[in-house]
Amino acid sequence: MNFSDQNLNLLIKSLAKPYGLILVVGPTGSGKTTTLHSCLGSINTPKKKIWTVEDPVEITQKGIRQVQTLEKKGLNFARAMRSFLRGDPDIIMVGEMRDTETASIGMEASLTGHLVFSTLHTNSAPETITRLLDMGMNPLNFADSLILIVAQRLIKTLCTNCREDYHPTQEEFDTLVSEYGEEQFQKLGISYDNDLTLKKPVGCELCDDTGYAGRTAIHELLQGTNGIKRMVVKQASAEELRTKAIEDGMSTLKQDGIQKVFEGNCDLKQVLAVCII
């Protein structure tokens, strides 16, 4: 999944929680289902009862009971979730919180001893909180249940067969610093010198002369810290939540992407193509 070390450690720590709400958000086709099943796979043991309701079931895993919705028969996310609660599973994954009823049941489940995973179509992690509050979620209950929100995008990666090292100009480096945020960039410990090299696309037969082959994920992880929970109760704006999350150590989608530019996975053009903020 190409999580940074910081994000991976936070995700693993969150998956160890006995109950609460973990959300993976992003547009259609951003790899949310893959990330969710990767999370489930890492905690899937014979001692844990894991049930999922999806539309449709795209990935199957041994040891997990998976249900596909069937709207014609009235089997939607909300109805399946109510049935799940009577069976008392340890972990529940609901494909999408697409309406108030599903979100409410998912939140109720997360407060009554279940670890709940789900997805939403939102642009960033802070916006997810405001979206759910706008849907009518109780701010106090939501604050209690929130463990982690993972925002995700997929970007094209440089072809490993033909990508080339190059020394960026001072102007290119300044652009990367500016897009990352000058204050936060200092924490990376990267400075401009003659030894600094980045990767650039070239083109070969393996990548159809595009210079790009495959995709990788960039992430934004908002942890439900005490500070964030207090702001949720106060129904703070998405911008206020973003500022607080960055203070708590969150790297934005763009920052995670730029970090991967320096690691040679991609270039700034691809990062900016999917990141607004």
PDB file of all heavy atoms in Angstrom, residues 13 32 35 74 77-78 84-85 89 97 118 139-140 169 193 202 208 210 217 226 244 253:
ATOM      1  N   LYS A  13      -1.369   0.698  14.930  1.00  0.00           N
ATOM      2  CA  LYS A  13      -1.776   1.007  16.304  1.00  0.00           C
ATOM      3  C   LYS A  13      -3.309   1.119  16.399  1.00  0.00           C
ATOM      4  O   LYS A  13      -3.928   0.650  17.354  1.00  0.00           O
ATOM      5  CB  LYS A  13      -1.120   2.317  16.732  1.00  0.00           C
ATOM      6  CG  LYS A  13      -1.470   2.795  18.125  1.00  0.00           C
ATOM      7  CD  LYS A  13      -0.792   4.128  18.407  1.00  0.00           C
ATOM      8  CE  LYS A  13      -1.256   4.716  19.736  1.00  0.00           C
ATOM      9  NZ  LYS A  13      -0.669   6.062  19.979  1.00  0.00           N
ATOM     10  N   LYS A  32      -9.983   2.406  -1.969  1.00  0.00           N
ATOM     11  CA  LYS A  32     -10.499   2.316  -0.594  1.00  0.00           C
ATOM     12  C   LYS A  32     -10.760   0.869  -0.189  1.00  0.00           C
ATOM     13  O   LYS A  32     -10.394   0.449   0.911  1.00  0.00           O
ATOM     14  CB  LYS A  32     -11.790   3.140  -0.460  1.00  0.00           C
ATOM     15  CG  LYS A  32     -11.629   4.627  -0.748  1.00  0.00           C
ATOM     16  CD  LYS A  32     -12.883   5.401  -0.428  1.00  0.00           C
ATOM     17  CE  LYS A  32     -14.076   5.029  -1.296  1.00  0.00           C
ATOM     18  NZ  LYS A  32     -13.868   5.360  -2.725  1.00  0.00           N
ATOM     19  N   THR A  35      -7.580  -1.056   0.495  1.00  0.00           N
ATOM     20  CA  THR A  35      -6.996  -0.683   1.783  1.00  0.00           C
ATOM     21  C   THR A  35      -7.767  -1.319   2.935  1.00  0.00           C
ATOM     22  O   THR A  35      -7.168  -1.856   3.875  1.00  0.00           O
ATOM     23  CB  THR A  35      -6.994   0.852   1.943  1.00  0.00           C
ATOM     24  OG1 THR A  35      -6.162   1.424   0.937  1.00  0.00           O
ATOM     25  CG2 THR A  35      -6.460   1.263   3.311  1.00  0.00           C
ATOM     26  N   GLY A  74     -34.687  -5.766  -0.549  1.00  0.00           N
ATOM     27  CA  GLY A  74     -34.692  -4.937   0.655  1.00  0.00           C
ATOM     28  C   GLY A  74     -33.482  -5.112   1.540  1.00  0.00           C
ATOM     29  O   GLY A  74     -33.441  -4.609   2.665  1.00  0.00           O
ATOM     30  N   PHE A  77     -27.500  -1.758   3.227  1.00  0.00           N
ATOM     31  CA  PHE A  77     -26.459  -1.699   4.254  1.00  0.00           C
ATOM     32  C   PHE A  77     -27.056  -1.640   5.663  1.00  0.00           C
ATOM     33  O   PHE A  77     -26.622  -2.347   6.569  1.00  0.00           O
ATOM     34  CB  PHE A  77     -25.562  -0.478   4.030  1.00  0.00           C
ATOM     35  CG  PHE A  77     -24.609  -0.617   2.879  1.00  0.00           C
ATOM     36  CD1 PHE A  77     -24.581   0.320   1.855  1.00  0.00           C
ATOM     37  CD2 PHE A  77     -23.729  -1.686   2.813  1.00  0.00           C
ATOM     38  CE1 PHE A  77     -23.700   0.199   0.795  1.00  0.00           C
ATOM     39  CE2 PHE A  77     -22.839  -1.828   1.754  1.00  0.00           C
ATOM     40  CZ  PHE A  77     -22.823  -0.884   0.746  1.00  0.00           C
ATOM     41  N   ALA A  78     -28.068  -0.788   5.851  1.00  0.00           N
ATOM     42  CA  ALA A  78     -28.649  -0.581   7.178  1.00  0.00           C
ATOM     43  C   ALA A  78     -29.287  -1.863   7.713  1.00  0.00           C
ATOM     44  O   ALA A  78     -29.083  -2.238   8.874  1.00  0.00           O
ATOM     45  CB  ALA A  78     -29.678   0.549   7.124  1.00  0.00           C
ATOM     46  N   PHE A  84     -26.424  -7.944  11.688  1.00  0.00           N
ATOM     47  CA  PHE A  84     -25.082  -8.241  12.193  1.00  0.00           C
ATOM     48  C   PHE A  84     -25.009  -8.046  13.705  1.00  0.00           C
ATOM     49  O   PHE A  84     -24.397  -8.839  14.418  1.00  0.00           O
ATOM     50  CB  PHE A  84     -24.053  -7.326  11.526  1.00  0.00           C
ATOM     51  CG  PHE A  84     -23.652  -7.745  10.132  1.00  0.00           C
ATOM     52  CD1 PHE A  84     -24.295  -8.774   9.470  1.00  0.00           C
ATOM     53  CD2 PHE A  84     -22.610  -7.096   9.478  1.00  0.00           C
ATOM     54  CE1 PHE A  84     -23.931  -9.148   8.186  1.00  0.00           C
ATOM     55  CE2 PHE A  84     -22.222  -7.463   8.205  1.00  0.00           C
ATOM     56  CZ  PHE A  84     -22.888  -8.487   7.555  1.00  0.00           C
ATOM     57  N   LEU A  85     -25.604  -6.979  14.188  1.00  0.00           N
ATOM     58  CA  LEU A  85     -25.508  -6.661  15.614  1.00  0.00           C
ATOM     59  C   LEU A  85     -26.119  -7.753  16.483  1.00  0.00           C
ATOM     60  O   LEU A  85     -25.664  -7.976  17.610  1.00  0.00           O
ATOM     61  CB  LEU A  85     -26.175  -5.313  15.899  1.00  0.00           C
ATOM     62  CG  LEU A  85     -25.480  -4.076  15.306  1.00  0.00           C
ATOM     63  CD1 LEU A  85     -26.265  -2.815  15.608  1.00  0.00           C
ATOM     64  CD2 LEU A  85     -24.058  -3.952  15.827  1.00  0.00           C
ATOM     65  N   PRO A  89     -20.635  -9.790  16.095  1.00  0.00           N
ATOM     66  CA  PRO A  89     -19.279 -10.006  15.586  1.00  0.00           C
ATOM     67  C   PRO A  89     -18.285  -9.070  16.286  1.00  0.00           C
ATOM     68  O   PRO A  89     -18.685  -8.066  16.881  1.00  0.00           O
ATOM     69  CB  PRO A  89     -19.401  -9.648  14.097  1.00  0.00           C
ATOM     70  CG  PRO A  89     -20.520  -8.657  14.058  1.00  0.00           C
ATOM     71  CD  PRO A  89     -21.479  -9.058  15.137  1.00  0.00           C
ATOM     72  N   MET A  97     -20.930   4.329   3.956  1.00  0.00           N
ATOM     73  CA  MET A  97     -21.916   5.048   4.764  1.00  0.00           C
ATOM     74  C   MET A  97     -22.591   6.072   3.861  1.00  0.00           C
ATOM     75  O   MET A  97     -22.287   7.259   3.893  1.00  0.00           O
ATOM     76  CB  MET A  97     -21.251   5.717   5.971  1.00  0.00           C
ATOM     77  CG  MET A  97     -20.831   4.757   7.047  1.00  0.00           C
ATOM     78  SD  MET A  97     -20.271   5.584   8.540  1.00  0.00           S
ATOM     79  CE  MET A  97     -20.100   4.190   9.661  1.00  0.00           C
ATOM     80  N   SER A 118     -15.493   1.455   7.455  1.00  0.00           N
ATOM     81  CA  SER A 118     -16.388   1.855   6.376  1.00  0.00           C
ATOM     82  C   SER A 118     -15.688   2.862   5.467  1.00  0.00           C
ATOM     83  O   SER A 118     -14.534   3.258   5.715  1.00  0.00           O
ATOM     84  CB  SER A 118     -17.678   2.457   6.929  1.00  0.00           C
ATOM     85  OG  SER A 118     -18.635   2.618   5.883  1.00  0.00           O
ATOM     86  N   PRO A 139     -22.675  14.744  17.574  1.00  0.00           N
ATOM     87  CA  PRO A 139     -21.261  15.096  17.711  1.00  0.00           C
ATOM     88  C   PRO A 139     -20.573  14.395  18.882  1.00  0.00           C
ATOM     89  O   PRO A 139     -19.416  13.976  18.763  1.00  0.00           O
ATOM     90  CB  PRO A 139     -21.290  16.616  17.915  1.00  0.00           C
ATOM     91  CG  PRO A 139     -22.577  17.063  17.341  1.00  0.00           C
ATOM     92  CD  PRO A 139     -23.534  15.938  17.583  1.00  0.00           C
ATOM     93  N   LEU A 140     -21.274  14.255  20.007  1.00  0.00           N
ATOM     94  CA  LEU A 140     -20.680  13.625  21.191  1.00  0.00           C
ATOM     95  C   LEU A 140     -20.404  12.149  20.945  1.00  0.00           C
ATOM     96  O   LEU A 140     -19.320  11.642  21.260  1.00  0.00           O
ATOM     97  CB  LEU A 140     -21.619  13.794  22.386  1.00  0.00           C
ATOM     98  CG  LEU A 140     -21.042  13.441  23.768  1.00  0.00           C
ATOM     99  CD1 LEU A 140     -19.835  14.309  24.088  1.00  0.00           C
ATOM    100  CD2 LEU A 140     -22.111  13.590  24.834  1.00  0.00           C
ATOM    101  N   THR A 169      16.614  21.996 -10.474  1.00  0.00           N
ATOM    102  CA  THR A 169      17.053  23.385 -10.352  1.00  0.00           C
ATOM    103  C   THR A 169      16.591  23.938  -9.005  1.00  0.00           C
ATOM    104  O   THR A 169      15.705  23.368  -8.349  1.00  0.00           O
ATOM    105  CB  THR A 169      16.467  24.250 -11.481  1.00  0.00           C
ATOM    106  OG1 THR A 169      15.031  24.272 -11.344  1.00  0.00           O
ATOM    107  CG2 THR A 169      16.833  23.678 -12.845  1.00  0.00           C
ATOM    108  N   ASP A 193      21.321  20.824  -2.403  1.00  0.00           N
ATOM    109  CA  ASP A 193      22.779  20.800  -2.614  1.00  0.00           C
ATOM    110  C   ASP A 193      23.067  20.066  -3.915  1.00  0.00           C
ATOM    111  O   ASP A 193      22.160  19.589  -4.602  1.00  0.00           O
ATOM    112  CB  ASP A 193      23.505  20.146  -1.429  1.00  0.00           C
ATOM    113  CG  ASP A 193      22.986  18.738  -1.124  1.00  0.00           C
ATOM    114  OD1 ASP A 193      22.673  17.995  -2.084  1.00  0.00           O
ATOM    115  OD2 ASP A 193      22.887  18.380   0.061  1.00  0.00           O
ATOM    116  N   VAL A 202      10.968   9.008 -18.604  1.00  0.00           N
ATOM    117  CA  VAL A 202      11.689   9.011 -19.881  1.00  0.00           C
ATOM    118  C   VAL A 202      10.820   8.378 -20.967  1.00  0.00           C
ATOM    119  O   VAL A 202      10.450   9.030 -21.943  1.00  0.00           O
ATOM    120  CB  VAL A 202      13.034   8.253 -19.766  1.00  0.00           C
ATOM    121  CG1 VAL A 202      13.747   8.227 -21.121  1.00  0.00           C
ATOM    122  CG2 VAL A 202      13.925   8.910 -18.713  1.00  0.00           C
ATOM    123  N   ASP A 208       5.095   1.904 -22.799  1.00  0.00           N
ATOM    124  CA  ASP A 208       4.509   2.511 -24.004  1.00  0.00           C
ATOM    125  C   ASP A 208       4.971   3.954 -24.200  1.00  0.00           C
ATOM    126  O   ASP A 208       4.180   4.832 -24.594  1.00  0.00           O
ATOM    127  CB  ASP A 208       2.973   2.471 -23.945  1.00  0.00           C
ATOM    128  CG  ASP A 208       2.442   1.057 -24.070  1.00  0.00           C
ATOM    129  OD1 ASP A 208       3.097   0.245 -24.746  1.00  0.00           O
ATOM    130  OD2 ASP A 208       1.394   0.760 -23.476  1.00  0.00           O
ATOM    131  N   THR A 210       5.457   6.279 -22.188  1.00  0.00           N
ATOM    132  CA  THR A 210       4.794   7.309 -21.367  1.00  0.00           C
ATOM    133  C   THR A 210       5.673   7.763 -20.210  1.00  0.00           C
ATOM    134  O   THR A 210       5.527   8.881 -19.704  1.00  0.00           O
ATOM    135  CB  THR A 210       3.473   6.772 -20.784  1.00  0.00           C
ATOM    136  OG1 THR A 210       3.753   5.657 -19.928  1.00  0.00           O
ATOM    137  CG2 THR A 210       2.524   6.336 -21.888  1.00  0.00           C
ATOM    138  N   ALA A 217      -0.317   4.642  -3.823  1.00  0.00           N
ATOM    139  CA  ALA A 217      -1.262   5.423  -3.018  1.00  0.00           C
ATOM    140  C   ALA A 217      -0.546   6.505  -2.224  1.00  0.00           C
ATOM    141  O   ALA A 217       0.590   6.327  -1.793  1.00  0.00           O
ATOM    142  CB  ALA A 217      -2.020   4.498  -2.068  1.00  0.00           C
ATOM    143  N   ASN A 226      -7.468  13.561  21.503  1.00  0.00           N
ATOM    144  CA  ASN A 226      -8.353  14.270  22.439  1.00  0.00           C
ATOM    145  C   ASN A 226      -8.694  15.664  21.919  1.00  0.00           C
ATOM    146  O   ASN A 226      -9.832  16.127  22.061  1.00  0.00           O
ATOM    147  CB  ASN A 226      -7.701  14.360  23.819  1.00  0.00           C
ATOM    148  CG  ASN A 226      -7.618  13.014  24.520  1.00  0.00           C
ATOM    149  OD1 ASN A 226      -8.441  12.137  24.270  1.00  0.00           O
ATOM    150  ND2 ASN A 226      -6.638  12.848  25.390  1.00  0.00           N
ATOM    151  N   LYS A 244      -5.668  21.758  13.258  1.00  0.00           N
ATOM    152  CA  LYS A 244      -5.388  21.011  14.486  1.00  0.00           C
ATOM    153  C   LYS A 244      -4.736  19.670  14.185  1.00  0.00           C
ATOM    154  O   LYS A 244      -3.786  19.251  14.875  1.00  0.00           O
ATOM    155  CB  LYS A 244      -6.696  20.809  15.267  1.00  0.00           C
ATOM    156  CG  LYS A 244      -6.546  19.983  16.547  1.00  0.00           C
ATOM    157  CD  LYS A 244      -5.584  20.635  17.517  1.00  0.00           C
ATOM    158  CE  LYS A 244      -5.454  19.812  18.790  1.00  0.00           C
ATOM    159  NZ  LYS A 244      -4.370  20.328  19.670  1.00  0.00           N
ATOM    160  N   LEU A 253      -2.421  14.943   2.076  1.00  0.00           N
ATOM    161  CA  LEU A 253      -2.240  14.139   0.863  1.00  0.00           C
ATOM    162  C   LEU A 253      -1.103  14.684   0.005  1.00  0.00           C
ATOM    163  O   LEU A 253      -0.257  13.924  -0.474  1.00  0.00           O
ATOM    164  CB  LEU A 253      -3.546  14.130   0.054  1.00  0.00           C
ATOM    165  CG  LEU A 253      -4.669  13.239   0.565  1.00  0.00           C
ATOM    166  CD1 LEU A 253      -5.988  13.632  -0.082  1.00  0.00           C
ATOM    167  CD2 LEU A 253      -4.372  11.767   0.290  1.00  0.00           C
TER     168      LEU A 253
END
